[in-house]
Coordinates of all heavy atoms in Angstrom, one line a residue:
M8 N 77.5 119.5 126.9 CA 77.5 119.8 125.5 C 78.6 119.1 124.8 O 78.4 118.6 123.7 CB 77.6 121.3 125.4 CG 77.5 121.8 123.9 SD 75.7 121.7 123.5 CE 75.7 123.0 122.4
K9 N 79.8 119.1 125.3 CA 80.9 118.4 124.7 C 80.7 116.9 124.6 O 81.0 116.3 123.6 CB 82.3 118.7 125.5 CG 83.4 117.8 124.9 CD 84.7 118.5 125.1 CE 85.9 117.7 124.7 NZ 85.8 116.8 123.5
Q10 N 80.1 116.4 125.6 CA 79.8 114.9 125.6 C 78.8 114.6 124.5 O 79.0 113.6 123.8 CB 79.2 114.5 127.0 CG 79.0 113.0 127.1 CD 78.6 112.7 128.5 OE1 77.9 113.5 129.2 NE2 79.0 111.4 128.9
E11 N 77.8 115.5 124.3 CA 76.9 115.2 123.2 C 77.5 115.3 121.8 O 77.2 114.5 120.9 CB 75.8 116.3 123.3 CG 74.6 116.1 122.4 CD 73.5 117.2 122.6 OE1 73.0 117.4 123.7 OE2 73.1 117.8 121.5
H12 N 78.4 116.2 121.7 CA 79.1 116.4 120.4 C 80.0 115.2 120.2 O 80.0 114.7 119.0 CB 80.1 117.6 120.5 CG 80.9 117.8 119.3 ND1 80.4 118.2 118.1 CD2 82.3 117.7 119.2 CE1 81.4 118.3 117.2 NE2 82.5 118.0 117.8
D13 N 80.7 114.6 121.2 CA 81.5 113.4 121.0 C 80.5 112.2 120.6 O 81.0 111.4 119.8 CB 82.1 113.1 122.4 CG 83.2 114.1 122.7 OD1 83.7 114.8 121.8 OD2 83.7 114.1 123.8
I14 N 79.4 112.2 121.2 CA 78.5 111.0 120.8 C 78.0 111.1 119.4 O 78.1 110.2 118.7 CB 77.3 111.0 121.8 CG1 77.8 110.5 123.2 CG2 76.2 110.0 121.2 CD1 76.6 110.7 124.2
V15 N 77.7 112.3 119.0 CA 77.3 112.6 117.6 C 78.4 112.2 116.6 O 78.3 111.6 115.5 CB 76.9 114.0 117.4 CG1 76.7 114.3 115.9 CG2 75.6 114.3 118.2
A16 N 79.7 112.6 117.0 CA 80.9 112.3 116.3 C 81.1 110.9 116.1 O 81.4 110.3 115.1 CB 82.1 113.0 116.8
Q17 N 80.9 110.1 117.3 CA 81.1 108.6 117.2 C 80.0 108.0 116.3 O 80.3 107.0 115.6 CB 81.1 108.1 118.6 CG 82.2 108.4 119.5 CD 82.1 108.0 120.9 OE1 81.0 107.5 121.3 NE2 83.0 108.2 121.7
V18 N 78.8 108.5 116.3 CA 77.8 108.0 115.4 C 78.1 108.1 114.0 O 78.0 107.3 113.2 CB 76.4 108.5 115.9 CG1 75.4 108.1 114.8 CG2 76.0 108.1 117.2
R19 N 78.5 109.3 113.7 CA 78.9 109.7 112.3 C 80.1 108.8 111.9 O 80.1 108.3 110.8 CB 79.3 111.1 112.2 CG 78.1 112.0 112.1 CD 78.5 113.4 111.9 NE 77.3 114.3 112.0 CZ 77.4 115.6 112.4 NH1 78.5 116.1 112.6 NH2 76.2 116.3 112.4
T20 N 81.1 108.6 112.8 CA 82.2 107.7 112.4 C 81.7 106.3 112.1 O 82.2 105.6 111.2 CB 83.3 107.8 113.5 OG1 83.7 109.1 113.6 CG2 84.5 106.9 113.1
A21 N 80.9 105.8 113.0 CA 80.3 104.4 112.7 C 79.5 104.3 111.5 O 79.7 103.3 110.8 CB 79.5 104.1 114.0
Q22 N 78.7 105.3 111.2 CA 78.0 105.3 109.9 C 79.0 105.4 108.7 O 78.7 104.7 107.7 CB 77.0 106.5 109.9 CG 75.9 106.3 110.8 CD 75.0 107.6 110.9 OE1 75.5 108.7 110.6 NE2 73.8 107.5 111.4
E23 N 80.0 106.2 108.8 CA 81.0 106.3 107.7 C 81.6 104.9 107.5 O 81.9 104.4 106.4 CB 81.9 107.4 107.9 CG 81.4 108.8 107.8 CD 82.3 109.8 108.3 OE1 83.4 109.5 108.8 OE2 81.9 111.0 108.2
C24 N 82.0 104.3 108.6 CA 82.7 102.9 108.5 C 81.7 101.9 107.9 O 82.1 101.1 107.1 CB 83.1 102.5 109.9 SG 84.6 103.4 110.5
S25 N 80.4 101.9 108.3 CA 79.5 101.1 107.7 C 79.4 101.2 106.2 O 79.2 100.3 105.4 CB 78.1 101.2 108.3 OG 78.2 100.8 109.6
L26 N 79.3 102.5 105.7 CA 79.2 102.8 104.4 C 80.5 102.3 103.6 O 80.3 101.8 102.5 CB 79.0 104.3 104.1 CG 77.6 104.9 104.5 CD1 77.6 106.4 104.3 CD2 76.6 104.2 103.6
A27 N 81.6 102.5 104.2 CA 82.8 102.1 103.5 C 82.9 100.5 103.5 O 83.3 100.0 102.4 CB 84.1 102.6 104.3
A28 N 82.4 99.9 104.5 CA 82.4 98.3 104.5 C 81.4 97.9 103.4 O 81.7 96.8 102.8 CB 82.0 97.9 105.9
A29 N 80.3 98.7 103.1 CA 79.3 98.2 102.2 C 79.9 98.3 100.7 O 79.5 97.6 99.9 CB 78.0 99.0 102.3
K30 N 80.9 99.1 100.5 CA 81.6 99.2 99.2 C 82.5 98.1 98.8 O 83.0 98.1 97.8 CB 82.2 100.6 99.1 CG 81.2 101.8 99.2 CD 82.0 103.0 99.1 CE 81.0 104.2 99.3 NZ 81.7 105.6 99.3
V31 N 82.8 97.3 99.8 CA 83.8 96.2 99.5 C 83.1 95.1 98.9 O 82.1 94.6 99.4 CB 84.5 95.8 100.9 CG1 85.4 94.6 100.7 CG2 85.3 97.0 101.5
I32 N 83.7 94.5 97.8 CA 83.2 93.3 97.1 C 83.5 92.2 97.9 O 84.5 92.1 98.6 CB 83.6 93.3 95.7 CG1 85.1 93.0 95.6 CG2 83.2 94.5 94.9 CD1 85.5 92.6 94.2
G33 N 82.7 91.0 97.8 CA 83.0 89.9 98.5 C 83.9 88.9 97.6 O 84.3 89.2 96.5
R34 N 84.2 87.8 98.2 CA 85.2 86.8 97.5 C 84.6 86.2 96.3 O 85.3 86.1 95.3 CB 85.5 85.7 98.5 CG 86.3 86.1 99.7 CD 86.6 84.9 100.6 NE 87.2 85.4 101.9 CZ 88.4 85.6 102.0 NH1 89.3 85.6 101.0 NH2 88.9 86.0 103.2
E35 N 83.3 86.0 96.3 CA 82.7 85.3 95.1 C 82.7 86.5 93.9 O 82.9 86.1 92.7 CB 81.3 84.9 95.3 CG 81.3 83.6 96.2 CD 82.0 82.5 95.6 OE1 81.8 82.2 94.4 OE2 82.8 81.8 96.4
A36 N 82.5 87.7 94.2 CA 82.5 88.7 93.2 C 83.9 88.9 92.7 O 84.1 89.1 91.5 CB 82.0 90.0 93.8
A37 N 84.9 88.7 93.6 CA 86.2 88.9 93.2 C 86.7 87.8 92.2 O 87.3 87.9 91.1 CB 87.3 88.9 94.3
L38 N 86.2 86.5 92.6 CA 86.4 85.4 91.7 C 85.7 85.5 90.3 O 86.3 85.2 89.3 CB 85.8 84.1 92.5 CG 86.2 82.8 91.7 CD1 87.7 82.5 91.7 CD2 85.5 81.6 92.5
A39 N 84.5 86.1 90.4 CA 83.7 86.2 89.1 C 84.5 87.3 88.2 O 84.6 87.1 87.0 CB 82.3 86.7 89.4
A40 N 85.0 88.4 88.8 CA 85.7 89.4 88.1 C 87.0 88.8 87.5 O 87.3 89.1 86.3 CB 86.1 90.6 89.0
A41 N 87.7 88.0 88.2 CA 88.9 87.4 87.7 C 88.6 86.4 86.6 O 89.3 86.5 85.5 CB 89.7 86.6 88.8
A42 N 87.6 85.6 86.7 CA 87.2 84.7 85.6 C 86.8 85.5 84.3 O 87.2 85.1 83.3 CB 86.0 83.7 86.1
A43 N 86.0 86.5 84.5 CA 85.6 87.3 83.4 C 86.7 88.0 82.7 O 86.8 88.0 81.5 CB 84.6 88.4 83.8
H44 N 87.7 88.4 83.4 CA 89.0 89.0 82.9 C 89.6 88.1 81.9 O 90.2 88.5 80.9 CB 89.9 89.4 84.1 CG 91.1 90.1 83.6 ND1 91.2 91.3 83.1 CD2 92.4 89.5 83.4 CE1 92.5 91.6 82.7 NE2 93.2 90.5 82.9
F45 N 89.7 86.7 82.3 CA 90.4 85.8 81.5 C 89.5 85.2 80.5 O 89.9 84.3 79.8 CB 91.1 84.8 82.4 CG 92.2 85.2 83.3 CD1 92.1 85.4 84.6 CD2 93.3 85.6 82.6 CE1 93.1 85.8 85.4 CE2 94.4 86.1 83.4 CZ 94.4 86.1 84.8
G46 N 88.2 85.5 80.6 CA 87.2 84.8 79.6 C 86.9 83.4 79.9 O 86.7 82.6 79.0
V47 N 86.9 83.1 81.1 CA 86.7 81.8 81.7 C 85.4 81.7 82.5 O 85.1 82.7 83.3 CB 87.8 81.2 82.6 CG1 87.5 79.8 83.1 CG2 89.1 81.3 81.8
A48 N 84.5 80.8 82.2 CA 83.3 80.7 83.0 C 83.5 80.2 84.4 O 84.3 79.3 84.7 CB 82.3 79.7 82.3
V49 N 82.8 80.9 85.3 CA 83.0 80.5 86.7 C 82.8 79.0 86.9 O 83.4 78.4 87.8 CB 82.1 81.3 87.7 CG1 82.1 80.9 89.0 CG2 82.5 82.9 87.5
S50 N 81.8 78.5 86.2 CA 81.5 77.1 86.4 C 82.6 76.1 86.0 O 82.6 75.0 86.3 CB 80.2 76.7 85.6 OG 80.4 77.0 84.3
D51 N 83.5 76.7 85.2 CA 84.7 75.9 84.7 C 86.0 75.9 85.6 O 86.9 75.3 85.4 CB 85.2 76.3 83.3 CG 84.1 76.0 82.3 OD1 83.2 75.1 82.5 OD2 84.1 76.7 81.2
L52 N 85.8 76.7 86.8 CA 87.0 76.9 87.6 C 87.1 75.7 88.5 O 86.2 75.0 89.0 CB 86.7 78.1 88.5 CG 86.6 79.4 87.7 CD1 86.6 80.6 88.7 CD2 87.6 79.6 86.7
R53 N 88.4 75.3 88.8 CA 88.8 74.2 89.7 C 89.9 74.8 90.6 O 90.5 75.8 90.3 CB 89.4 73.1 89.0 CG 88.5 72.4 88.0 CD 89.2 71.1 87.4 NE 90.6 71.3 87.1 CZ 91.1 71.4 85.9 NH1 90.3 71.4 84.8 NH2 92.4 71.5 85.6
E54 N 90.1 74.2 91.8 CA 91.1 74.6 92.7 C 91.1 76.1 92.9 O 92.2 76.7 92.8 CB 92.4 74.0 92.3 CG 92.5 72.5 92.3 CD 93.8 71.9 92.1 OE1 94.8 72.6 92.6 OE2 93.9 70.9 91.5
R55 N 90.0 76.7 93.4 CA 89.9 78.1 93.6 C 90.6 78.6 94.9 O 90.4 77.9 95.9 CB 88.4 78.5 93.6 CG 87.6 78.0 92.5 CD 86.2 78.1 92.8 NE 85.4 77.6 91.7 CZ 84.1 77.7 91.6 NH1 83.4 78.4 92.4 NH2 83.5 77.2 90.5
D56 N 91.3 79.7 94.9 CA 91.9 80.2 96.1 C 91.7 81.7 96.0 O 92.2 82.3 95.2 CB 93.3 79.8 96.3 CG 94.0 80.3 97.5 OD1 93.2 80.4 98.5 OD2 95.1 80.5 97.6
V57 N 91.0 82.3 97.0 CA 90.7 83.7 97.1 C 91.2 84.2 98.4 O 90.6 83.8 99.5 CB 89.3 84.1 96.7 CG1 89.2 85.6 96.8 CG2 88.9 83.6 95.5
E58 N 92.2 85.1 98.6 CA 92.7 85.5 99.9 C 92.6 87.0 99.8 O 93.1 87.7 98.8 CB 94.1 85.0 100.2 CG 94.2 83.6 100.4 CD 95.5 83.0 100.6 OE1 96.3 83.8 101.1 OE2 95.7 81.9 100.5
R59 N 92.3 87.7 100.9 CA 92.3 89.1 101.0 C 93.5 89.7 101.6 O 93.9 89.3 102.7 CB 91.1 89.7 101.7 CG 90.9 91.2 101.7 CD 89.7 91.5 102.4 NE 89.7 93.0 102.5 CZ 88.7 93.7 103.0 NH1 87.6 93.1 103.4 NH2 88.8 95.0 103.1
E60 N 94.2 90.6 101.0 CA 95.4 91.2 101.5 C 95.6 92.7 101.1 O 95.4 92.9 99.9 CB 96.6 90.5 101.0 CG 96.7 89.1 101.6 CD 98.1 88.5 101.2 OE1 99.1 89.3 101.0 OE2 98.2 87.3 101.2
R61 N 95.6 93.5 102.0 CA 95.9 95.0 101.8 C 95.2 95.6 100.7 O 95.7 96.2 99.7 CB 97.4 95.2 101.6 CG 98.2 94.8 102.8 CD 99.7 95.2 102.5 NE 100.5 94.3 103.3 CZ 101.6 93.7 102.8 NH1 102.0 93.9 101.6 NH2 102.3 92.9 103.7
G62 N 93.8 95.5 100.7 CA 93.0 96.2 99.8 C 92.8 95.5 98.4 O 92.2 95.9 97.5
F63 N 93.4 94.2 98.3 CA 93.1 93.4 97.1 C 92.8 92.0 97.5 O 93.1 91.5 98.6 CB 94.4 93.3 96.4 CG 94.8 94.6 95.7 CD1 95.5 95.6 96.3 CD2 94.4 94.9 94.4 CE1 95.9 96.8 95.7 CE2 94.6 96.1 93.8 CZ 95.4 97.0 94.4
Y64 N 92.1 91.3 96.6 CA 92.0 89.9 96.7 C 93.0 89.2 95.8 O 93.1 89.6 94.7 CB 90.6 89.4 96.3 CG 89.4 89.7 97.2 CD1 88.5 90.7 97.0 CD2 89.3 89.0 98.5 CE1 87.5 91.0 97.9 CE2 88.3 89.2 99.3 CZ 87.3 90.2 99.1 OH 86.4 90.5 99.9
E65 N 93.7 88.3 96.3 CA 94.6 87.5 95.5 C 93.8 86.3 95.0 O 93.4 85.5 95.8 CB 95.9 87.1 96.3 CG 96.9 86.4 95.4 CD 98.2 86.1 96.2 OE1 98.6 86.9 97.0 OE2 98.6 84.9 96.1
V66 N 93.6 86.2 93.7 CA 92.7 85.1 93.2 C 93.6 84.2 92.3 O 94.3 84.6 91.4 CB 91.6 85.8 92.3 CG1 90.8 84.6 91.8 CG2 90.8 86.7 93.2
D67 N 93.6 83.0 92.7 CA 94.2 81.9 91.9 C 93.2 80.8 91.6 O 92.4 80.4 92.4 CB 95.3 81.2 92.7 CG 96.4 82.2 93.1 OD1 97.0 82.8 92.3 OD2 96.7 82.4 94.4
F68 N 93.2 80.3 90.4 CA 92.4 79.3 90.0 C 92.9 78.5 88.8 O 93.8 78.9 88.1 CB 90.9 79.6 89.8 CG 90.7 80.6 88.6 CD1 90.6 80.2 87.3 CD2 90.7 82.0 89.0 CE1 90.4 81.0 86.3 CE2 90.6 82.9 87.8 CZ 90.4 82.4 86.5
E69 N 92.4 77.2 88.7 CA 92.7 76.4 87.5 C 91.4 76.2 86.7 O 90.4 76.1 87.3 CB 93.4 75.1 87.9 CG 94.7 75.1 88.5 CD 95.3 73.8 88.8 OE1 94.7 72.9 88.3 OE2 96.2 73.7 89.6
A70 N 91.6 76.0 85.5 CA 90.5 75.7 84.5 C 91.0 74.6 83.6 O 92.2 74.3 83.6 CB 90.0 76.9 83.8
D71 N 90.2 74.1 82.7 CA 90.6 73.1 81.8 C 91.7 73.5 81.0 O 92.6 72.7 80.7 CB 89.5 72.7 80.9 CG 88.3 71.9 81.6 OD1 88.7 71.3 82.7 OD2 87.3 71.9 81.2
D72 N 91.9 74.8 80.7 CA 93.0 75.1 79.7 C 94.1 75.8 80.4 O 95.0 76.4 79.7 CB 92.4 76.1 78.6 CG 91.9 77.4 79.3 OD1 91.7 77.5 80.5 OD2 91.7 78.4 78.5
G73 N 94.3 75.8 81.8 CA 95.5 76.4 82.4 C 95.2 76.9 83.7 O 94.2 76.6 84.4
E74 N 96.2 77.6 84.3 CA 96.3 78.2 85.6 C 96.3 79.7 85.5 O 97.0 80.3 84.6 CB 97.5 77.8 86.3 CG 97.6 76.3 86.5 CD 98.9 75.8 87.2 OE1 99.6 76.7 87.8 OE2 99.2 74.6 87.3
Y75 N 95.6 80.4 86.4 CA 95.4 81.8 86.3 C 95.6 82.4 87.7 O 95.2 81.8 88.7 CB 94.0 82.1 85.8 CG 93.7 81.5 84.6 CD1 93.1 80.2 84.4 CD2 93.9 82.3 83.4 CE1 92.8 79.7 83.2 CE2 93.4 81.8 82.1 CZ 93.0 80.4 82.0 OH 92.8 79.9 80.8
E76 N 96.1 83.7 87.7 CA 96.2 84.4 89.0 C 96.1 85.9 88.7 O 96.6 86.3 87.7 CB 97.5 84.0 89.8 CG 98.8 84.3 89.1 CD 99.9 83.9 89.9 OE1 100.0 82.6 90.3 OE2 100.8 84.7 90.2
C77 N 95.6 86.6 89.7 CA 95.5 88.1 89.6 C 95.2 88.6 90.8 O 95.0 87.9 91.9 CB 94.4 88.4 88.5 SG 92.8 88.1 89.0
L78 N 95.2 90.0 90.9 CA 94.8 90.8 92.0 C 93.5 91.4 91.6 O 93.3 91.9 90.6 CB 95.8 91.8 92.4 CG 97.2 91.2 92.9 CD1 98.1 92.4 93.2 CD2 97.0 90.4 94.1
V79 N 92.5 91.5 92.6 CA 91.2 92.2 92.3 C 91.0 93.2 93.5 O 91.1 92.9 94.7 CB 90.1 91.1 92.3 CG1 88.7 91.9 92.1 CG2 90.2 90.1 91.2
N80 N 90.8 94.6 93.1 CA 90.7 95.6 94.0 C 89.3 95.3 94.8 O 88.3 95.0 94.3 CB 90.6 96.9 93.3 CG 90.5 98.1 94.2 OD1 89.6 98.2 95.0 ND2 91.5 99.0 94.2
V81 N 89.4 95.4 96.2 CA 88.3 95.0 97.0 C 87.2 96.0 96.9 O 86.0 95.8 97.2 CB 88.7 94.9 98.5 CG1 89.6 93.7 98.6 CG2 89.2 96.0 99.1
E82 N 87.5 97.3 96.5 CA 86.5 98.3 96.5 C 85.9 98.4 95.0 O 84.7 98.7 94.9 CB 87.0 99.6 96.8 CG 87.4 99.7 98.3 CD 87.9 101.0 98.7 OE1 88.0 101.9 97.9 OE2 88.3 101.1 99.9
T83 N 86.7 98.3 94.0 CA 86.3 98.5 92.6 C 86.0 97.3 91.7 O 85.4 97.3 90.8 CB 87.3 99.3 91.9 OG1 88.5 98.7 91.7 CG2 87.6 100.6 92.6
G84 N 86.6 96.2 92.2 CA 86.5 94.9 91.4 C 87.4 94.9 90.2 O 87.4 94.0 89.4
E85 N 88.3 95.9 90.1 CA 89.2 96.0 89.0 C 90.3 95.0 89.0 O 90.9 94.8 90.2 CB 89.9 97.5 88.9 CG 90.7 97.6 87.8 CD 91.3 99.0 87.7 OE1 90.5 100.0 88.2 OE2 92.4 99.2 87.3
V86 N 90.6 94.3 88.0 CA 91.7 93.2 88.0 C 93.0 93.9 87.6 O 93.1 94.7 86.7 CB 91.3 92.2 86.9 CG1 92.5 91.1 86.9 CG2 90.0 91.5 87.4
S87 N 94.0 93.5 88.3 CA 95.4 94.0 88.0 C 96.4 92.8 88.2 O 96.1 91.8 88.8 CB 95.8 95.2 88.8 OG 95.8 94.8 90.2
R88 N 97.6 93.1 87.7 CA 98.6 92.0 87.8 C 98.1 90.6 87.5 O 98.4 89.6 88.2 CB 99.2 91.9 89.2 CG 100.0 93.2 89.6 CD 100.6 93.1 90.8 NE 101.3 94.3 91.3 CZ 102.0 94.5 92.4 NH1 102.0 93.5 93.3 NH2 102.4 95.7 92.7
A89 N 97.6 90.5 86.3 CA 97.0 89.2 85.8 C 98.0 88.4 85.2 O 98.9 88.9 84.4 CB 95.9 89.5 84.9
R90 N 98.1 87.1 85.4 CA 99.0 86.2 84.8 C 98.4 84.8 84.6 O 97.5 84.4 85.4 CB 100.2 86.0 85.7 CG 101.4 85.3 85.2 CD 102.5 85.2 86.1 NE 102.3 84.3 87.3 CZ 102.6 83.0 87.1 NH1 103.1 82.4 86.1 NH2 102.4 82.2 88.2
S91 N 98.7 84.2 83.4 CA 98.1 82.9 83.1 C 99.1 82.1 82.5 O 100.0 82.5 81.9 CB 96.9 83.0 82.2 OG 97.3 83.5 81.0
E92 N 99.0 80.8 82.8 CA 99.8 79.8 82.1 C 98.9 78.9 81.4 O 98.3 77.9 82.2 CB 100.7 79.0 83.1 CG 101.7 79.9 83.7 CD 102.6 79.1 84.7 OE1 102.7 77.8 84.5 OE2 103.3 79.8 85.5
R93 N 98.6 79.0 80.2 CA 97.6 78.3 79.4 C 98.3 77.0 78.8 O 99.4 77.0 78.3 CB 97.0 79.0 78.4 CG 96.1 80.1 78.8 CD 95.3 80.8 77.9 NE 94.5 81.8 78.6 CZ 93.4 82.3 78.0 NH1 93.0 81.9 76.9 NH2 92.8 83.3 78.7
D94 N 97.5 75.9 79.0 CA 97.9 74.6 78.4 C 97.6 74.6 77.0 O 96.5 75.1 76.6 CB 97.2 73.4 79.2 CG 97.6 73.4 80.6 OD1 98.7 73.7 81.0 OD2 96.8 72.7 81.3
D95 N 98.5 74.1 76.1 CA 98.1 74.1 74.7 C 98.4 72.6 74.3 O 99.4 72.2 74.0 CB 99.1 75.0 73.9 CG 98.6 75.2 72.4 OD1 97.7 74.4 72.1 OD2 99.2 76.1 71.8
D96 N 97.2 71.9 74.2 CA 97.3 70.5 74.0 C 97.4 70.2 72.5 O 97.5 69.0 72.0 CB 96.0 69.8 74.5 CG 96.0 69.7 76.0 OD1 97.0 69.9 76.6 OD2 94.9 69.7 76.6
R97 N 97.4 71.2 71.6 CA 97.5 71.0 70.2 C 98.8 70.3 69.8 O 98.8 69.6 68.8 CB 97.4 72.3 69.5 CG 96.1 73.0 69.5 CD 96.0 74.3 68.7 NE 97.0 75.2 69.3 CZ 97.3 76.3 68.8 NH1 96.8 76.8 67.7 NH2 98.2 77.1 69.4
Y98 N 99.8 70.4 70.6 CA 101.1 69.8 70.2 C 101.5 68.6 71.0 O 102.6 68.1 70.9 CB 102.3 70.9 70.3 CG 101.8 72.2 69.5 CD1 101.5 73.3 70.0 CD2 102.0 72.1 68.1 CE1 101.2 74.4 69.3 CE2 101.7 73.2 67.3 CZ 101.3 74.3 67.9 OH 101.0 75.4 67.1
D99 N 100.5 68.1 71.9 CA 100.8 66.9 72.7 C 100.6 65.7 71.8 O 99.7 65.7 70.9 CB 100.0 66.9 73.9 CG 100.3 68.0 74.9 OD1 101.4 68.6 74.8 OD2 99.6 68.1 75.8
D100 N 101.4 64.6 72.1 CA 101.2 63.4 71.4 C 100.3 62.6 72.1 O 100.0 62.5 73.2 CB 102.6 62.6 71.3 CG 103.5 63.4 70.3 OD1 103.0 64.0 69.4 OD2 104.7 63.2 70.5

């Protein structure tokens, strides 16, 4: 009886892990969320870098108008710690 209970508990744990893993967004979704946050089209991105660390994707990319970086939550897709350095060519000679 105990052995049967242990097997059922293991199956439930495996199912819960599978459900939790299914809730994690992928790298492309994180990149899309970051681009949308900054108002940049994904097709305009250059030098993309997406790394997963401790529940977040660290997303860095360049576009025609500057450099961008932020953190994207792997479960919710929410963007945080966003920073950009936009080029302003209006004053260049």
Side-chain angles (χ1 to χ4, degrees):
M8 189 72 149
K9 172 144 174 44
Q10 190 175 25
E11 185 178 311
H12 177 70
D13 289 345
I14 291 171
V15 170
Q17 289 174 357
V18 168
R19 284 187 183 149
T20 301
Q22 289 171 339
E23 290 168 359
C24 288
S25 293
L26 288 173
K30 293 179 182 177
V31 173
I32 67 168
R34 293 179 188 281
E35 290 300 316
L38 186 62
H44 177 80
F45 290 111
V47 178
V49 173
S50 60
D51 292 339
L52 305 185
R53 302 188 312 257
E54 298 188 35
R55 307 166 183 193
D56 185 29
V57 181
E58 296 180 18
R59 185 173 171 181
E60 292 188 24
R61 297 186 206 134
F63 290 91
Y64 285 108
E65 185 177 316
V66 180
D67 300 300
F68 61 85
E69 289 184 16
D71 289 338
D72 64 346
E74 299 177 11
Y75 302 85
E76 63 183 55
C77 65
L78 297 178
V79 178
N80 186 297
V81 298
E82 293 179 2
T83 66
E85 183 178 326
V86 175
S87 62
R88 294 191 186 173
R90 186 174 79 83
S91 66
E92 293 182 19
R93 295 191 177 201
D94 297 334
D95 193 350
D96 292 335
R97 292 181 298 175
Y98 303 107
D99 291 348
D100 290 330

